[in-house]
């Protein structure tokens, strides 16, 4: 596939670019700076663009088969930029006539039990609340875009640089936890989950949790 990767210079974005390229996809990687460290491949091109601008998104997306987002508020940005990004990306894809969108979301809106979301639990770190709320608002915007073939893929509660094992589990709108009750995924395996879903389209119109 010819893939537009938004947020390609970020921690998850770089690993997603590497995963896409290892499977033979062509990747256009977007960030505001237009530079992506650590990704060097003939099938990769880094470009500058603003994902809060629907015109920019439409121009960048044109001619691609699908868009993958690993966008996040960079240091110093308000978490609310996530909703501006979602609005611009949805509008930009429509204008570019690209249907498929795989979005890196947040775990805060996943269920951890009957009628309880992760963000509502006592242990949820206070400092993560603003970005988790913005990610849920961004999901609400996406969930109304029924004309797009979207999947909102959330990491586990904890995601860090680690190993690529190729093993992970998913759950529809639920937090994935291991036998000890921990919710974790490496960024490398999260990138595997994003690209698996891009290729298989098993969870269109789904808020997917991932973890071990
Ligand atoms: N447990 C969880 O739920 C959890 C944990 C971690 C992360 N996440 C989510 O995963 C996503 C990515 O995380 P990350 O740690 O990989 O983020 P990151 O390292 O901060 O990367 C963010 C990327 O977005 C780009 N970007 C920011 N503003 C942009 C704009 N206006 N236009 C174009 N590109 C823009 C950045 O590049 P430039 O700054 O150069 O533009 C960068 O490539 C975030 O949405 C975050 O909320 C969820």
């Amino acid at each position: 596939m010819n893939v537009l990767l938004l947020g390609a210079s970020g921690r998850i974005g770089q690993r997603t670019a590497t995963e896409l390229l290892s499977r033979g996809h062509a990747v256009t990687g977007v960030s505001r700076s237009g530079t992506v460290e650590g990704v060097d491949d003939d099938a990769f091109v880094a470009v500058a663009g603003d994902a809060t601008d629907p015109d920019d998104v439409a121009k960048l997306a044109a001619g691609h088969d699908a868009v993958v987002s690993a966008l996040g508020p960079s240091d110093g940005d308000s978490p609310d930029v996530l909703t501006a990004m979602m609005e611009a990306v949805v509008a930009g894809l429509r204008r570019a006539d690209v249907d498929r969108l795989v979005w890196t979301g947040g775990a805060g809106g996943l269920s951890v039990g009957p009628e309880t979301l992760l963000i509502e639990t006592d242990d949820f770190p206070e400092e993560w609340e603003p970005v988790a709320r913005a990610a849920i608002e961004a999901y609400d915007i996406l969930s109304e875009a029924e004309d797009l073939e979207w999947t909102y893929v959330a990491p586990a509660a904890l995601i860090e640089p680690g190993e690529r094992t190729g093993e992970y589990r998913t759950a529809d709108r639920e937090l994935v936890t291991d036998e000890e009750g921990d919710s974790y995924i490496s960024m490398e395996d999260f990138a595997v989950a994003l690209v698996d879903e891009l290729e298989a389209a098993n969870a269109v119109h789904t808020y997917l949790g991932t973890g071990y």
Side-chain angles (χ1 to χ4, degrees):
M1 270 186 243
N2 191 9
V3 180
L4 184 75
L5 174 62
L6 301 170
S9 62
R11 299 188 312 158
I12 294 171
Q14 285 175 35
R15 289 162 174 87
T16 305
T18 302
E19 185 66 30
L20 285 162
L21 292 162
S22 76
R23 300 196 201 185
H25 299 292
V27 181
T28 308
V30 181
S31 61
R32 285 169 298 184
S33 68
T35 52
V36 176
E37 310 264 316
V39 183
D40 183 18
D41 192 293
D42 288 347
F44 181 75
V45 58
V47 297
D50 181 0
T52 63
D53 179 344
D55 289 337
D56 246 17
V57 175
K59 273 188 227 138
L60 290 163
H64 290 85
D65 301 309
V67 174
V68 176
S69 165
L71 290 166
S74 295
D75 290 343
D77 284 344
S78 158
D80 295 336
V81 76
L82 273 178
T83 54
M85 286 167 169
M86 185 64 89
E87 277 167 1
V89 170
V90 166
L93 261 68
R94 285 179 176 144
R95 282 186 217 169
D97 211 12
V98 176
D99 293 336
R100 182 72 171 126
L101 173 62
V102 179
W103 185 276
T104 300
L110 295 170
S111 293
V112 293
E115 294 179 30
T116 309
L117 303 180
L118 178 64
I119 193 174
E120 296 165 344
T121 55
D122 292 342
D123 293 346
F124 195 80
E126 209 175 312
E127 67 269 26
W128 292 358
E129 269 185 35
V131 71
R133 284 197 196 292
I136 292 170
E137 279 171 37
Y139 169 75
D140 290 342
I141 294 166
L142 185 63
S143 66
E144 285 173 13
E146 285 173 14
D147 54 317
L148 299 181
E149 303 278 294
W150 58 262
T151 308
Y152 183 96
V153 189
L158 183 63
I159 175 167
E160 288 176 334
E163 249 183 81
R164 183 195 186 284
T165 69
E167 303 285 325
Y168 64 91
R169 294 183 299 125
T170 62
D172 185 351
R173 222 163 171 166
E174 279 180 24
L175 189 73
V176 177
T177 53
D178 65 15
E179 284 164 1
E180 277 87 48
D182 295 326
S183 178
Y184 174 71
I185 193 164
S186 73
M187 290 186 171
E188 287 73 7
D189 280 336
F190 182 73
V192 174
L194 278 181
V195 179
D196 282 349
E197 173 51 27
L198 174 73
E199 292 177 341
N202 281 330
V204 172
H205 294 168
T206 302
Y207 184 164
L208 209 60
T210 61
Y212 296 123

